Amino acid sequence: MEVTLKIQRYNPETEKGGLETYTVQAEETATLLDVLDVVKDEVDGSLSYRKSCRMAVCGSCGMRMNGAAVLACKTPMKPLVDRGEVPVISPMGNLPVIKDLVVDMGPFWEKFRAIKPYLDDGGEDPPVKEWRVQQHQLDQIMKEALCIQCGCCVSECNSMEADPDFLGPAALAKAARFVYDIRDRGGKERLELYNGYHGVWDCTRCYFCNERCPKGVDPRDAIAKVGGRIYQEGMRDDKGARHAKVFVESTYKTGYLLETNLVPETVGPIAAIKEIPFALKMVRAGKVPNPLKPHKAGKLDEVRRLEKLVAEREREELQEVKRGPARPPDDLQPQPRTDD
Amino acid sequence: MVRHDVVVVGAGMAGMRAAIEASRYGVDVGVVSKLHPTRSHSGAAEGGINAALGNAGEDSPEKHTFFTVKGSDYLGDQDAIEVMCEEGPGDIYELEHMGAVFSRLEDGRIAQRPFGAGGAPRTCYAADITGHVLLHVLYEQLVKSGVTVYEEWFALDLVADGERCVGVTAWDIVRGGVQGVEASAVILATGGLGRIYRGTTNAYACTGDGMSMAWRAGVPLKDMEFMQFHPTTLKANGVLITEGCRGEGGYLRNGQGERFMFNYAPNAGELASRDVVSRAEQTEIDEGRGLDGCVLLDLTHLGAKRINERLHGSRELALDYAGVDPIDEPIPVRPGAHYHMGGVDTDVWGKTVMPGLYAAGEAACVSVHGANRLGGNSLLETVVFGRRAGAAAAMEVRSNGLGGVFPPAAVRATERRIRSMLEVERGPRPAVLRQQLADTMYDNVGIYRTADKLELAKQEVGQLREQYARGVVVQDRGRTFNSDLIQAIELGSMLEMADCLVTGAIARTESRGAHSRLDHPERDDENWLRHTMTYYDGGEVGLDYKPVTITKYEPAVRTY
């Protein structure tokens, strides 16, 4: 089939670049990566992009197609050709461009390193054989374990666009993989790494990471899991945690969100004073309900029952995790290896 | 110029395991890799890793040893196989302690499933993404160890001071420029060479660079003619569908729907050794019982639940690259070049004949796979022998100290080589030669081999090497991320390694394991129970032989 695409080129040595259009012949089964290979082999050898496994497991070929991050090797071209589309191929976002479609993954790996990306054994000696772990306990981190560190989620992260130091979806999904591993002894010290500025609370919940992840990791869900654990551990001093608390408490009280409580309870009364002019502006615009007579949901009972249900489910899940004790119970202790 | 006590080239599982181990001995370790470590091809391994844990049924290291020896068609060195099978369980437990998410039995122990010709349920797995899980666990540990990693540095040449290896030269892919990397010991862990074949499961990066570096430095390569063809690869792009599918009970059917494997392996059926299954498939296809050049891998009877739980990754690959949902219909598959049993000749500590040079993983040939590797043994090899090479190299540095002196001229020599490649104005593009090479290897040095076809391949490879020597055109003349240049250099390695492979295959006039000669259909222990050694002979391939180490198991007839 004939494929036409536009590729965002950039050569750092000449500082020249721009959109170039290429039309090549490719197999019907061709992926975006296959088409780039044809362009490189037959049209312009100076086109640069990363590739290796071509089976969506090495994570090299993250790039953007029509502004959304994809793995080139997992993107079939036929549907686009059939629709007569001419896709624009550009480098991933939120990372500096080195050349053409190649970005500098340095900042990406810096954040990876910042979350203590390895199992914390607490300095304990491991058992002679394997840790006894139930499959359902491991299942809690299997989605995060699928992550190939391709960077597609980071490319699309809205929060990172505003705050380049935000740990971001990939690193925090990796964090969840350890937080919910019952063999990990990182405890609060580990959670503290994700709790402060640039941590879990900075996620704006836009869900672009979930949407663009080519492996179904669902990084936003992983961030929620880490936030949940932080909250459960009683680490509620961070603005993010307090912010979440207001939501929970005010919906319990009224079935609605009490916007007037949101700011003072999140940032504290003194800092909230500074926000008064802004609050007055909102009042004038009719955006603030009467604080003295808060509106209440008609079926408050139902809201509370719902909340109770969610809390119960979460408690169950938490217990499941906690059921994996600091050490497995005696009857599950691994037996010493018999080297006979 | 940078310096480390131990420099590991390649950062797949063998390389990272070697680096982690060496750093435990308190020596300064550097890793040079043309890919970021987690991009390495170890991550594409799906099915699992063998060790006689005995969790899912009666097993022992002796049994593992015997079936590996038998699987190797008695070409494996039995002392090395014993080491791997005895130490394997310890390495698995260590990976588990590092955090590997191995799938579990009801009682919380590591689950194990049967793989082809293993003789017991011995393959530990993490669903069907075992390599991915283990690669990332080792990277986590590498980060923890604080080892310096030179990501996207492409090692080009081994550097010697007299006899002794004192480092490598490398091209910094991102910034451009040749760098000297001085070391008291070098460990090559650069992986395989599957890309010399059309229709391979291997990543684009598997181009035999490390083997070629060693060969050019005068280190012999062992058993290069043995290339394993995996029975279940997708037609469109050669992507691997794990043996775990058959381990979980999948069937192979021909175009007429018949389960043909029992005609070839009456006892083991689909779970015969890979060479046996691939030959059976090829015979079915050649004799007209295939379907569009393929046979069918049928998982439909396993049910959606089991497929989603245990073979989720395979389902995803089949959906992405074959447009088939294995829950509803069988997957068309065919044999594809998968794993290279040969490599840099080493002892059981990864040591080569060159002082200061070690090798581990697919780049090396210890040899534990002999003429045919069992599924699940390659990941095991990477951790057992990666660990051993790392330990041995570190110990050598600690007792011998500095080693030799890195000659500054080495960097200039490599620079000249690169500059001359960038100056070629006329000639073929590397991709053209690469395609011709891959075609001739697939067509003439495939599952079934004959003297005529092998000679034809030798001639073609020779011509391609001549053309390459005259120069290929690198269109990208820049320094920054010049992947055109990298691919041109890789082509040089591929051509040399293909020549070694073909030369070994022509000489070996017998059929053993993955080397199947239609003109010499029988195994010939009297003349060929020996390792092929290919060495650099003024640019040509020299041949020599070496005896096989036999400890317990005398060669016997191999049936499944």
Side-chain angles (χ1 to χ4, degrees), chain A residues 13 45 54 73 129 174 177, chain B residues 97 99 140 200 321 475 480:
Chain A
E13 288 162 38
R54 61 79 178 88
C73 72
K129 293 191 176 181
K174 187 78 179 174
R177 179 251 165 276
Chain B
H97 298 153
E140 291 158 21
T200 174
Y321 302 114
Q475 285 176 349
T480 313

Side-chain angles (χ1 to χ4, degrees), chain A residues 57-125:
Chain A
V57 74
C58 81
S60 297
C61 64
M63 57 187 69
R64 273 176 164 170
M65 184 161 86
N66 293 332
V70 295
L71 279 185
C73 72
K74 202 178 153 70
T75 306
M77 293 304 278
K78 188 155 191 309
L80 285 102
V81 171
D82 288 348
R83 289 197 300 268
E85 257 183 66
V86 177
V88 174
I89 312 302
S90 57
M92 287 199 293
N94 281 331
L95 292 161
V97 176
I98 291 175
K99 178 171 184 256
D100 296 336
L101 304 173
V102 177
V103 294
D104 178 5
M105 293 292 281
F108 178 92
W109 292 111
E110 231 168 77
K111 287 168 184 169
F112 178 91
R113 285 190 290 271
I115 60 107
K116 190 158 124 183
Y118 47 84
L119 199 77
D120 185 338
D121 58 13
E124 290 176 44
D125 282 335

Side-chain angles (χ1 to χ4, degrees), chain B residues 446-524:
Chain B
I447 293 178
Y448 288 115
R449 300 167 176 184
T450 60
D452 292 351
K453 284 190 163 187
L454 290 172
E455 288 293 351
L456 179 66
K458 170 91 184 161
Q459 204 184 331
E460 288 190 14
V461 171
Q463 284 165 2
L464 291 170
R465 284 189 69 189
E466 276 171 34
Q467 276 183 281
Y468 182 79
R470 281 198 296 272
V472 290
V473 176
V474 177
Q475 285 176 349
D476 191 341
R477 299 294 165 96
R479 293 171 69 82
T480 313
F481 217 98
N482 187 339
S483 48
D484 210 26
L485 171 67
I486 299 303
Q487 289 179 17
I489 300 168
E490 288 171 339
L491 175 62
S493 304
M494 290 161 77
L495 288 166
E496 287 166 355
M497 293 305 95
D499 203 352
C500 290
L501 198 155
V502 176
T503 307
I506 290 172
R508 187 174 285 272
T509 48
E510 66 156 352
S511 290
R512 183 185 296 274
H515 175 68
S516 189
R517 291 276 303 251
L518 290 174
D519 45 355
H520 300 277
E522 299 300 321
R523 194 174 82 195
D524 176 3

Side-chain angles (χ1 to χ4, degrees), chain A residues 11-13 29 31 33-34 37 40-60 73-76 98-99 102 105 108-109 112-113 117-121 126-135 138 141-142 144-151 174 177-178 181 183 214-215 332 337, chain B residues 35-36 38-41 43-44 46 53 55 86 89-90 93 96-110 126-127 129 132-133 136-137 139-141 143-144 151-152 174 195 200-205 236-240 312 316-317 320-321 429 431 434 475-484 487:
Chain A
N11 181 344
E13 288 162 38
T29 54
T31 60
L33 181 62
D34 295 330
D37 280 345
K40 185 169 180 73
D41 288 345
E42 294 174 9
V43 185
D44 186 349
S46 73
L47 176 67
S48 290
Y49 48 95
R50 288 193 180 94
K51 65 169 181 177
S52 190
C53 76
R54 61 79 178 88
M55 55 190 282
V57 74
C58 81
S60 297
C73 72
K74 202 178 153 70
T75 306
I98 291 175
K99 178 171 184 256
V102 177
M105 293 292 281
F108 178 92
W109 292 111
F112 178 91
R113 285 190 290 271
Y118 47 84
L119 199 77
D120 185 338
D121 58 13
V128 178
K129 293 191 176 181
E130 68 269 58
W131 287 106
R132 298 287 183 106
V133 184
Q134 296 300 311
Q135 186 61 46
L138 281 185
I141 54 171
M142 279 315 282
E144 289 81 11
L146 287 170
C147 175
I148 58 173
Q149 308 294 340
C150 62
K174 187 78 179 174
R177 179 251 165 276
F178 295 109
D181 189 326
R183 296 166 295 183
K215 299 300 284 187
L332 281 182
R337 189 152 24 137
Chain B
L35 299 173
H36 180 278
T38 63
R39 315 297 182 213
S40 306
H41 197 54
E46 294 164 9
L53 307 183
N55 285 359
E86 277 161 21
Y93 294 136
E96 198 276 335
H97 298 153
M98 289 172 176
V101 286
F102 286 115
S103 298
R104 302 289 166 154
L105 296 170
E106 287 281 314
D107 64 5
R109 290 180 301 160
I110 295 172
I129 51 167
H132 163 75
V133 161
H136 283 253
V137 156
Y139 182 62
E140 291 158 21
Q141 296 296 313
V143 169
K144 186 182 178 187
E151 289 161 21
E152 301 188 317
V174 173
R195 277 285 147 186
T200 174
T201 62
N202 284 198
Y204 286 109
N237 59 358
V239 160
L240 172 73
H312 175 82
E316 195 178 311
L317 292 171
D320 282 348
Y321 302 114
R429 288 277 289 145
R434 196 175 63 222
Q475 285 176 349
D476 191 341
R477 299 294 165 96
R479 293 171 69 82
T480 313
F481 217 98
N482 187 339
S483 48
D484 210 26
Q487 289 179 17

Side-chain angles (χ1 to χ4, degrees), chain B residues 133-394:
Chain B
V133 161
L134 298 184
L135 183 74
H136 283 253
V137 156
L138 287 178
Y139 182 62
E140 291 158 21
Q141 296 296 313
L142 191 74
V143 169
K144 186 182 178 187
S145 74
V147 162
T148 311
V149 183
Y150 300 93
E151 289 161 21
E152 301 188 317
W153 279 30
F154 184 28
L156 297 167
D157 296 302
L158 287 177
V159 178
D161 177 14
E163 296 272 279
R164 199 180 166 80
C165 182
V166 290
V168 298
T169 54
W171 175 262
D172 178 345
I173 297 175
V174 173
R175 291 160 210 86
V178 176
Q179 301 282 347
V181 185
E182 189 181 348
S184 304
V186 171
I187 303 173
L188 290 175
T190 49
L193 48 62
R195 277 285 147 186
I196 64 175
Y197 280 87
R198 182 183 85 220
T200 174
T201 62
N202 284 198
Y204 286 109
C206 302
T207 51
D209 315 314
M211 285 180 251
S212 155
M213 284 165 68
W215 183 70
R216 280 182 276 117
V219 181
L221 307 178
K222 187 161 67 183
D223 295 336
M224 291 295 282
E225 64 270 35
F226 294 98
M227 185 79 205
Q228 177 170 80
F229 289 82
H230 194 288
T232 54
T233 76
L234 297 181
K235 189 181 180 190
N237 59 358
V239 160
L240 172 73
I241 299 296
T242 176
E243 189 163 325
C245 291
R246 285 172 285 139
E248 292 290 342
Y251 300 149
L252 286 171
R253 298 183 188 278
N254 61 19
Q256 288 133 26
E258 183 201 355
R259 277 182 75 188
F260 57 88
M261 270 316 299
F262 289 95
N263 303 336
Y264 300 85
N267 302 312
E270 278 90 355
L271 283 179
S273 186
R274 284 181 180 170
D275 56 335
V276 175
V277 181
S278 284
R279 276 196 294 275
E281 289 181 1
Q282 196 60 49
T283 304
E284 292 293 307
I285 294 165
D286 290 348
E287 292 179 359
R289 292 185 298 277
L291 195 73
D292 202 14
C294 289
V295 294
L296 298 168
L297 175 62
D298 187 357
L299 308 179
T300 52
H301 57 286
L302 298 180
K305 186 168 181 286
R306 188 145 176 202
I307 290 175
N308 281 327
E309 273 173 18
R310 306 257 182 100
L311 301 166
H312 175 82
S314 304
R315 181 179 175 221
E316 195 178 311
L317 292 171
L319 282 166
D320 282 348
Y321 302 114
V324 166
D325 187 341
I327 291 174
D328 303 325
E329 48 180 331
I331 314 167
V333 292
R334 64 177 184 180
H338 179 54
Y339 184 89
H340 185 234
M341 272 73 73
V344 180
D345 179 33
T346 75
D347 69 7
V348 292
W349 288 98
K351 219 167 162 27
T352 72
V353 294
M354 184 181 201
L357 182 70
Y358 296 76
E362 194 173 345
C365 181
V366 183
S367 102
V368 287
H369 310 305
N372 171 67
R373 174 173 73 77
L374 294 190
N377 269 354
S378 62
L379 292 184
L380 181 63
E381 182 197 11
T382 65
V383 287
V384 171
F385 293 102
R387 169 174 54 74
R388 285 182 145 244

